[in-house]
Amino acid sequence: MFDEGVIKFRAAHRQGSLETRLYSELACKLIAWREILAKTGLVGQRKDRYGGFGYGNVSGRVGPPGMPRGQRSFLITGTQTSGKECVSLGDFCVVKSYDDSRNEAQSFGPALPSSESLTHGAIYDLGPQIRFVLHGHTPTIWRRARELRIPTSEPKVAYGTPQMAAEVRRLYRSTSLAETKILAMGGHEDGVIVFGHSAEEAGQILLAYLARAFETDCRADGGLCSF
């Protein structure tokens, strides 16, 4: 059974347009990396994957770094926009605040927030230096997570839940996540998340691990190309 893209938290959402003057520059950074992830298959929508639902999302912080935890607002792609060939500011929303202990988030914008919004919020709460989060789906990395020493959440923990937010905090405290800035979602098939101070840092981490995973596959196949 697939439930990809289903919002599992209470979303207090105010519908309306996002002001171009405030959000277009950040949106363009996110759209650029979303395009790269789409072209590499990490974001998208296919009939033969995940029950046909869209997968993957991107976000970036808005506002000053030093905001309190739970109030580190971020711009994020809307739920089930991953299958769109082209996205614009109209496919985003701002998550203004979030509270995984109450399983709720407050947002505004033309699109409903991504189902992964609580997880993005938990990552931003790890430190004010974290400004961008990219979430993609790649079996190539996911199945090699142990060999690549990627911190991995417990398989029983579902995406988009308070438990997943707690897993992010646990991994940050008890594994190498603070250094690697990538985690595999054990209970979310093929799901990986990267973060960084800039979109470029997060994106380069993801692409570097993708290359390492392909290299590992190649070695396992005796140097034969099976991609």
Side-chain angles (χ1 to χ4, degrees), residues 176-219:
S176 61
L177 181 58
E179 289 74 42
T180 63
K181 301 178 184 178
I182 182 173
L183 66 93
M185 304 173 79
H188 193 30
E189 184 182 353
D190 302 337
V192 297
I193 299 177
V194 295
F195 55 87
H197 179 71
S198 65
E200 289 79 6
E201 181 187 19
Q204 287 168 6
I205 289 169
L206 185 53
L207 294 180
Y209 271 93
L210 185 60
R212 289 175 60 189
F214 277 131
E215 181 182 351
T216 303
D217 280 353
C218 182
R219 288 176 177 171

Side-chain angles (χ1 to χ4, degrees), residues 1-121:
M1 177 176 150
F2 294 96
D3 60 354
E4 184 72 41
V6 176
I7 296 175
K8 300 180 178 180
F9 56 88
R10 291 186 295 275
H13 182 75
R14 176 167 55 85
Q15 198 75 21
S17 60
L18 294 174
E19 198 171 341
T20 302
R21 177 180 60 87
L22 296 177
Y23 301 110
S24 63
E25 183 176 352
L26 176 57
C28 285
K29 288 182 184 294
L30 294 172
I31 289 169
W33 276 99
R34 182 211 179 262
E35 180 71 8
I36 292 170
L37 299 188
K39 289 189 181 303
T40 50
L42 278 75
V43 167
Q45 186 171 16
R46 286 172 41 180
K47 292 180 181 179
D48 61 340
R49 295 181 71 182
Y50 322 122
F53 287 98
Y55 55 91
N57 45 68
V58 297
S59 74
R61 281 284 317 278
V62 297
M67 292 296 289
R69 292 181 176 87
Q71 299 178 41
R72 295 177 179 174
S73 304
F74 53 91
L75 184 71
I76 189 168
T77 42
T79 185
Q80 287 305 298
T81 59
S82 303
K84 288 193 168 187
E85 184 175 346
C86 180
V87 296
S88 67
L89 187 57
D91 297 299
F92 285 81
C93 78
V94 172
V95 174
K96 188 69 176 173
S97 62
Y98 45 90
D99 186 343
D100 59 79
S101 68
R102 300 179 65 178
N103 197 32
E104 63 183 24
Q106 295 191 359
S107 59
F108 63 89
L112 289 172
S114 165
S115 57
E116 295 283 5
S117 292
L118 286 185
T119 305
H120 285 243

Side-chain angles (χ1 to χ4, degrees), residues 103-167:
N103 197 32
E104 63 183 24
Q106 295 191 359
S107 59
F108 63 89
L112 289 172
S114 165
S115 57
E116 295 283 5
S117 292
L118 286 185
T119 305
H120 285 243
I123 292 172
Y124 289 125
D125 279 353
L126 297 175
Q129 77 281 3
I130 299 171
R131 303 290 294 182
F132 289 86
V133 175
L134 309 179
H135 167 51
H137 280 230
T138 165
T140 306
I141 294 177
W142 197 74
R143 68 190 178 205
R144 296 289 188 184
R146 182 184 295 273
E147 294 163 82
L148 296 174
R149 298 183 180 180
I150 297 174
T152 303
S153 63
E154 290 290 338
K156 64 183 178 181
V157 176
Y159 80 90
T161 61
Q163 292 75 24
M164 186 63 214
E167 272 293 275

